[in-house]
Amino acid sequence: MEPFRAFVGDQLPLRQRATGYAMQSFFIGVGAVVGSMLPWLLARAGFNNDPAAAGIPDNVRHAFDCGALVLLLAMGWTVVSTSRVSARQTAGL
């Protein structure tokens, strides 16, 4: 997630950077907790918890797929919704 840390510094004015880094750390932590709970939640929702022929339970595979989808959507949203900041504009921050 280090490129995203640099992204916060590049996009925010100096007075907002501490809050930006705090919010980023908060959401990374929430994502880690939800991601680690997702296999358990999927098992409780009825997904198979027994290892398949490949040795990976269905709930773990689906949790990974959900995490990958959320990451790709977040990255896509960032690319689409963020304007490019030139070096001259960055120097003014």
Side-chain angles (χ1 to χ4, degrees):
M1 296 317 250
E2 287 307 314
F4 288 117
R5 273 192 84 69
F7 188 67
V8 170
D10 288 346
Q11 293 291 319
L12 294 176
L14 187 57
R15 61 180 164 66
Q16 291 181 338
R17 284 187 191 158
T19 302
Y21 289 132
M23 292 301 298
Q24 182 183 36
S25 295
F26 171 76
F27 285 114
I28 289 171
V30 168
V33 170
V34 171
S36 66
M37 288 179 59
L38 198 52
W40 177 79
L41 290 170
L42 290 175
R44 301 269 302 173
F47 284 84
N48 188 5
N49 195 22
D50 295 327
I56 300 172
D58 287 342
N59 64 331
V60 174
R61 187 172 49 83
H62 290 300
F64 179 84
D65 292 343
C66 289
L69 179 65
V70 168
L71 177 64
L72 291 174
L73 288 172
M75 288 171 45
W77 176 260
T78 300
V79 168
V80 170
S81 66
T82 305
S83 61
R84 185 179 181 283
V85 178
S86 69
R88 184 172 292 149
Q89 290 171 319
T90 302
L93 294 176

